[in-house]
Each structure stands twice: as structure tokens, then as C-alpha cells.
Amino acid sequence: MSDRAAVMVLEDGRVFRGRRFGAEGQTLGEAVFCTAMTGYQETLTDPSYHRQIVVATAPQIGNTGWNAEDDESGRIWVAGYAVRDPAKRASNWRSVTTLAEELERQRIVGISGIDTRALVRHLRTRGSMKAGIFSGDAAAASAEELLSRVTGQPSMLGADLAGEVSTGSVYTIEPDGAHRFTVVAVDLGIKTNTPRMFAQRGMRVHVVPSSVTLDRIQELRPDGVFLSNGPGDPATQDDAVELTKAVLGEGIPLFGICFGNQILGRALGLRTYKMKFGHRGINVPVVDHATGAVSITAQNHGFALEGEAGQRFDTPFGTAEVSHTCANDGTVEGVRLVGADGKPGRAFSVQYHPEAAAGPHDAAYLFDRFAGLMESAGLKEGV
């Protein structure tokens, strides 16, 4: 075997042979695919991809290199990266290194030169599954041994990962311009652009660990609480669900995205399930059933809430409803408390990423909706 050779092994025994891309060695994770044509740097540094091997459907990756501005966290979180045709040369005025060099620097094992079309079709048919990428000495083992390593890893179903990616201490992002509101953001795997979107709207953001208590949140005197995106199985997040119930019980306005949508849904009584292959890309159409408007959205999730479009149900916090669904397959894409007496309910969430990064900006208005919710809750601006 060539010293540049690499092999990707799936848990059902399917094997893809290619070339090493990035670091040499072994990596294990859940094989998933992302349909985004751009934004690979944001994808690789998104904590929601923790313990996943990402397969890029775009045929060529790496054209714009790697820059110092577009990371969505402090490191690459993907377990591995599989691409068809890495760019031979990076060309962008912000580029400081190549993608391959950055993968190697951060010890991310990848593979290139494989038929990613065949791999993605296989994952769409069989579903996301355990996988491994092997190169160098790690690839010298027998086929049986490599398959055993792949199948022996933990499943994403039942994986409790939010605590592994959350911040260890509180940090604060100051507002751009005049201070309007204070938001406590529970970090379940938050992306860098999310506090930035709040700050642009005059919100001071205290980003807190996933283990935060209600008492600690109240000490920060928030006008609203935010539940971030994050990795793993939402069915494991009983503590986050109980925290959310406590926040709702206090009447504090709440906004959640992605993992946060699933946490709010669970707090309202809905159940979650693992999707066959999930939604990962930046062109997913979502219907807002209050207006009929369709937004093209950025998404990254392999779990979803059970429910139907427009479904209303009773909760300890009032009537709730499924507010958004995916136009492609009907997956629940948002929930909210309905409210009463002409006032909006004090909690809403969406499954997609209104902060984009990368992706379309169709849903950025949701940050303004959250500001409006805090204002309508009768809380004084600037406190």
C-alpha cells in the first residue's frame, strides 16, 4: 500500500479506497454528508459535528484555503473529512494556509479521491452509520480488524456530547452600540456567529456552560435565555430540559435553535427520534405556518422532534404548536408557545440556523423576533 493511501470503512462492510487528506492515522465517527457548496471552514469548526465524519457532496473542496476569520469555534470538531477532489491551490485574499495543511495541523484524519457520489447515495439508502478512516500504519490492519474497530465504537443514538463541547466558564460578548437587552446563552455547542448576531441588535450576551443552574442564570439578570445548537442525542439532555422548564416557569422569554429546538420541544412534551440521514446543508426550504412564508435555511441535525405541521398541544406553560416544517419531507422545524390575550407566547425555537455561517440570511429576522419578544414581555430595555 502506498504511504499516501487511505481507506474508509463503513459499519455494513462497504469500503472506499483513496488517498490521505490531512493527518495520517485513524479516526472513528458517524458518517454523514453535507450538501453545502461553500462554507467548509464553518462546517469543520461547528461543534454540532463533534464525533462525525463529514462527507462533502461538492466535488471540489479547498479552493479558498483556510483563513483566520471564519472559524465557528476555537478548533475543528469533525472526527474526519471525506472529499472527492481537493483543490491543488488555494486562492483567496484572506487565506493564510491550505485546507490540507490545517487538517494536518489539527490532527484531523481525512480521505480524498473517493467516489463521494456513490458514498452519499449509499448513506441516503442505508442511513448515516458508524465509519472509520485509516491511513499509514493504521491502514495496515486486516479488513476484519478495521471493520471491528468501526463497529465497536459507540453509537450516536444515546450519545451525550453537549458537555464535551460547551464552554468551561462564563464569557461575555458586548453589544454593538447602545445596550438594549441582556441574553444568557446556554452553550450546548454554540457557533461564534450567534452571539455576534445578538450583539448587532444591541444585546449583551453572557455565554454560560451547559451545566448552568437557574440560580446562576437569574444572577445575570437576563431579559431572555437562548438555547444553542449542539451535538449528540437530545434524549440524553434531561438536565437541559429541566432547566428549560424552570426558565419557562419563571416566564423568561426563551429562544432556541437546532439542538435548542429539540430541548424546548422536549420541555413542552414532544419526543425526539434519530433521522435516517438528517439534514446537513445550506439550501433546505422551511415553511412558517403562521405566514406561509418559505425560508431557505442552513441546517445540521440528525435528530428531530415528533409532530405534524400546525399541530397544537397543551403544556404546563400554555398551548404550544408546531410552527415550522421542512418543505421537502415534513420534518418539524420549529415550535412555539402560542400565547393569549393578543400577546405572543414567551418561547419559540427553530431547527435550522438563522445565524447561517455559512448559508443564506433568510431567517436572520428571528433574532429581531426575539428582541420583540423580550420587549413585549414588559421588560425594560437597557436594564
Side-chain angles (χ1 to χ4, degrees):
M1 179 180 288
S2 164
D3 60 357
R4 295 290 301 179
V7 59
M8 182 170 180
V9 179
L10 305 183
E11 69 174 297
D12 63 359
R14 187 76 182 267
V15 174
F16 293 84
R17 298 187 182 279
R19 299 182 300 277
R20 175 166 69 87
F21 182 51
E24 178 182 294
Q26 167 184 302
T27 190
L28 301 172
E30 180 188 44
V32 301
F33 60 88
C34 178
T35 62
M37 298 289 287
T38 62
Y40 57 81
Q41 182 167 336
E42 292 91 335
T43 293
L44 295 175
T45 55
D46 181 350
S48 295
Y49 280 111
H50 180 39
R51 260 186 51 187
Q52 293 181 318
I53 295 174
V54 176
V55 182
T57 62
Q60 190 171 74
I61 295 291
N63 303 67
T64 54
W66 194 273
N67 64 64
E69 301 172 30
D70 290 344
D71 287 1
E72 285 301 312
S73 67
R75 53 167 283 192
I76 294 176
W77 279 103
V78 302
Y81 202 28
V83 304
R84 170 63 181 173
D85 183 18
K88 295 179 176 61
R89 178 182 303 168
S91 179
N92 185 273
W93 66 277
R94 296 191 302 154
S95 177
V96 295
T97 188
T98 68
L99 172 58
E101 289 168 343
E102 189 63 21
L103 291 173
E104 188 156 10
R105 188 183 74 83
Q106 297 199 37
R107 304 303 302 163
I108 304 301
V109 176
I111 187 171
S112 66
I114 63 173
D115 188 344
T116 50
R117 295 170 301 177
L119 175 52
V120 170
R121 287 175 66 90
H122 189 71
L123 296 175
R124 280 182 59 89
T125 302
R126 301 291 183 89
S128 299
M129 65 181 73
K130 298 175 183 178
I133 300 174
F134 309 90
S135 58
D137 292 342
S142 67
E144 292 77 12
E145 171 60 24
L146 295 182
L147 182 59
S148 176
R149 295 178 193 175
V150 168
T151 57
Q153 67 180 295
S155 172
M156 191 60 71
L157 188 66
D160 182 358
L161 302 179
E164 296 181 14
V165 302
S166 181
T167 181
S169 59
V170 179
Y171 63 92
T172 301
I173 305 298
E174 293 294 338
D176 298 341
H179 171 232
R180 297 177 60 208
F181 302 106
T182 296
V183 173
V184 169
V186 181
D187 180 7
L188 303 165
I190 199 167
K191 293 169 65 180
T192 300
N193 202 43
T194 304
R196 186 182 299 135
M197 296 288 278
F198 285 129
Q200 289 171 358
R201 290 159 174 82
M203 302 181 202
R204 175 176 294 119
V205 186
H206 300 296
V207 182
V208 300
S210 61
S211 59
V212 70
T213 64
L214 178 63
D215 287 344
R216 179 64 179 123
I217 287 176
Q218 290 177 319
E219 287 174 5
L220 295 168
R221 302 180 64 196
D223 299 310
V225 170
F226 172 74
L227 302 176
S228 81
N229 61 293
D233 186 344
T236 66
Q237 297 301 307
D238 291 346
D239 289 347
V241 170
E242 291 306 311
L243 175 67
T244 301
K245 290 178 180 179
V247 170
L248 295 176
E250 292 294 318
I252 303 172
L254 184 142
F255 173 33
I257 65 170
C258 197
F259 207 54
N261 176 63
Q262 296 157 9
I263 301 302
L264 175 60
R266 283 194 58 199
L268 297 177
L270 298 179
R271 295 186 297 180
T272 60
Y273 66 96
K274 192 175 191 303
M275 303 170 73
K276 185 175 182 179
F277 50 79
H279 296 159
R280 297 175 181 88
I282 58 176
N283 64 342
V284 183
V286 170
V287 181
D288 181 343
H289 294 288
T291 64
V294 175
S295 295
I296 304 303
T297 68
Q299 300 202 13
N300 170 18
H301 64 108
F303 291 85
L305 291 168
E306 294 183 350
E308 302 290 337
Q311 172 186 340
R312 289 202 168 193
F313 52 99
D314 294 328
T315 81
F317 314 102
T319 302
E321 70 177 0
V322 173
S323 57
H324 299 70
T325 55
C326 179
N328 289 338
D329 58 14
T331 299
V332 173
E333 295 283 356
V335 294
R336 71 182 183 102
L337 288 174
V338 175
D341 301 324
K343 294 183 179 180
R346 291 199 179 186
F348 71 99
S349 60
V350 292
Q351 186 60 59
Y352 47 95
H353 288 257
E355 86 291 345
H361 298 167
D362 294 29
Y365 71 91
L366 292 171
F367 292 96
D368 299 308
R369 178 179 292 180
F370 187 40
L373 180 59
M374 289 187 286
E375 188 170 16
S376 69
L379 301 173
K380 183 180 178 181
E381 292 191 14
V383 174

